[in-house]
Amino acid sequence: MGEQHHIVMLPFMAQGHLIPFLALANQIHKRFGFTITIATTPLNVRYLTAAIANNSTKSSKINVHELPFNSCDHGLPPNTENTEALPLNQIINLFHASTSLEIPFRGLIDDIIIRDGSPPLCIISDVFMGWANDVAKSYGTLNVTFTGGAYGTTAYTSIWQHLPHRLTKNDEFNLPGYPDSCRFHITQMHRFLRAADGTDSWSRFFQPQIGYSLKSFGWLCNTAEEIEPFGLDVFRKYTKAPVWCIGPLIPPSMLNRNSSSRVIEQHAGRKPGISPEKCLQWLDLHSQNSILYISFGSQNTISASQMMALAHGLEDSKRPFIWVIRPPIGFNLRGEFKSEWLPTGFEERISKDNQGLLVKDWAPQLDVLCHKSTGAFMSHCGWNSIMESLSQGVPMIGWPLAAEQGYNAKMLVEEMGVCVEITRGVQSNISRDEVKKVIETAMGKGDKAKEMKKQAEEIGELIRAAMSEEGNKRGSSYKAMDDFVTALVSNGKGLA
Ligand code: UDP
């Protein structure tokens, strides 16, 4: 594999997609020395460039290529190139707008052909950028789709392809690809998917894009073979294509439990609302496994009434917590946080005795999860958050909100036994008592908490073993990356 190969990557424009794509680029470049070009819109190029600059290995060999994009041409607010500040009902415009990148993306491939003398070895694209499959075919190269977990990806793709909930009046339904014993529930889907009938704007984007992705040469999953055997079995049968589990691609310092480095590199290129050092100092004040960390990912928030109930329940629980807080649904997510969204005097009370730390908008999540004081993670169950948490043996309280999060939570509860769900979505009512109760279940002295912790620790071990790079202890994810690159190179030769 001595040749200088070139791989082009095409992530969807969302923080939770840019982060693993950059990690994948770093990994392939570091292991095989290939040239990697990540193509995205100007604002997302800035995030990637900032994340690369923060990275201790300074992966200067990762090229980041700007694809011109003007959000106003697509009915989006000015300078909107990422899901982060968009309300859910406008996100669909960003999805449709992403297909306009095909023309400049083809221009990039043309330029590469002129420079390198041949098309790239492969285009690795996001499951939402299915059109890349056509581009790859027309240039005589391969397209591979990169996704998160196998269980959630199968459920998400199968639901979009078949809309099985439309065929029944029941709230529960079977899903093609899954055995009949594995039933799905309408509340695990977000409201636009529930309403989808194949003709609406959401279906018109997701059905074809997912369909094209299912025609790709194979799939890279940001998961480890050993942690979701059932999910991988259904995924392989569903896609009928090669699947390489090469993850979870989290910073190496998170995988080394004896690492002396205190602050983990910032992986997102977004400025946290508190410095990692201050956050660590606060965590140091607390005892082992005592803190509940609460975050709904890079772009989500909850409703105003849920926020109130969560705040009251946290206070009632008397447990210490770090809460990444954003304005509730219906308000500008990037706007100022108003104290009226929380109970009167809440912030003063929780800071007086260090019970709670509110972090506005963005936290140094990896530092929090790696700290020994962190005992559980209340999460929207985005795939990156799940992997980051379980790699540290931290069990979860699931509050899925959108995308494939409901199915991820189902797997965490039913297959892994590392999670209890508090509620689903932003329209549900929760009470302060329910909040207190679920925290007690996950973090108290009862059997459930002990069992979840034990399972999370075991999965953490499996993750570390799968990612091991050490000589004769090389793990399954390390080897899968070799297999993937071998398949690309041998197929590339076949095509030439
Ligand atoms: N993240 C972070 N700080 C925050 C919120 C999120 O660093 O305050 C990172 C988190 O570590 C993860 C990513 O953003 O890598 C979120 O990805 P995930 O798949 O969990 O959710 P998404 O944002 O895609 O819904």
Side-chain angles (χ1 to χ4, degrees), residues 83-108:
T83 50
E84 63 194 358
L86 271 180
L88 190 59
N89 61 354
Q90 282 194 34
I91 281 185
I92 189 58
N93 295 350
L94 185 71
F95 278 112
H96 280 285
S98 65
T99 60
S100 73
L101 298 177
E102 178 170 345
I103 293 168
F105 186 73
R106 282 180 181 273
L108 166 67

Side-chain angles (χ1 to χ4, degrees), residues 310 378 397-400 420-424 430 434-435 438-439:
L310 179 54
M378 184 183 288
I397 297 176
W399 186 334
V420 276
E421 267 185 289
I422 170 167
T423 184
R424 295 172 187 157
I430 51 157
E434 285 167 310
V435 173
V438 82
I439 296 173

Side-chain angles (χ1 to χ4, degrees), residues 14-17 19-20 83 250 266-268 270 272 293-300 324 326 359-366 369 377 379-388 403-405 408:
Q15 217 62 249
H17 295 235
I19 292 169
T83 50
I250 49 182
Q266 289 303 306
H267 58 167
R270 217 158 114 174
Y293 171 57
I294 304 149
S295 163
F296 300 103
S298 62
Q299 64 199 43
N300 282 295
V324 189
R326 303 196 179 111
V359 178
K360 303 276 157 69
D361 186 47
W362 193 262
Q365 174 159 315
L366 306 184
L369 289 172
F377 182 6
S379 165
H380 71 312
C381 298
W383 188 251
N384 298 299
S385 293
I386 292 173
M387 289 296 96
E388 289 157 10
E404 90 297 8
Q405 295 148 17
N408 290 343

Side-chain angles (χ1 to χ4, degrees), residues 262-421:
R262 288 269 292 162
V263 176
I264 315 272
E265 69 206 31
Q266 289 303 306
H267 58 167
R270 217 158 114 174
K271 204 172 168 316
I274 185 172
S275 76
E277 290 78 8
K278 273 211 171 124
C279 202
L280 290 171
Q281 276 166 17
W282 192 88
L283 282 154
D284 284 344
L285 300 173
H286 294 275
S287 59
Q288 188 158 1
N289 294 334
S290 65
I291 307 270
L292 174 65
Y293 171 57
I294 304 149
S295 163
F296 300 103
S298 62
Q299 64 199 43
N300 282 295
T301 187
I302 51 178
S303 76
S305 65
Q306 291 174 330
M307 197 169 274
M308 222 21 124
L310 179 54
H312 280 302
L314 283 167
E315 259 195 296
D316 295 350
S317 80
K318 306 227 170 9
R319 288 191 183 271
F321 62 89
I322 294 181
W323 183 2
V324 189
I325 202 152
R326 303 196 179 111
I329 289 278
F331 295 91
N332 176 7
L333 279 189
R334 283 301 172 88
E336 204 195 324
F337 192 91
K338 300 205 177 97
S339 55
E340 70 204 41
W341 290 322
L342 292 170
T344 314
F346 177 76
E347 209 165 343
E348 295 76 52
R349 283 195 301 282
I350 59 160
S351 38
K352 209 165 62 205
D353 57 0
N354 286 317
Q355 190 203 343
L357 179 66
L358 295 181
V359 178
K360 303 276 157 69
D361 186 47
W362 193 262
Q365 174 159 315
L366 306 184
D367 295 292
V368 176
L369 289 172
C370 287
H371 197 283
K372 62 178 176 14
S373 300
T374 301
F377 182 6
M378 184 183 288
S379 165
H380 71 312
C381 298
W383 188 251
N384 298 299
S385 293
I386 292 173
M387 289 296 96
E388 289 157 10
S389 190
L390 295 183
S391 71
Q392 305 309 307
V394 174
M396 306 183 74
I397 297 176
W399 186 334
L401 295 170
E404 90 297 8
Q405 295 148 17
Y407 330 124
N408 290 343
K410 178 175 163 66
M411 182 198 65
L412 293 178
V413 173
E414 294 175 6
E415 302 296 319
M416 292 185 170
V418 295
C419 176
V420 276
E421 267 185 289

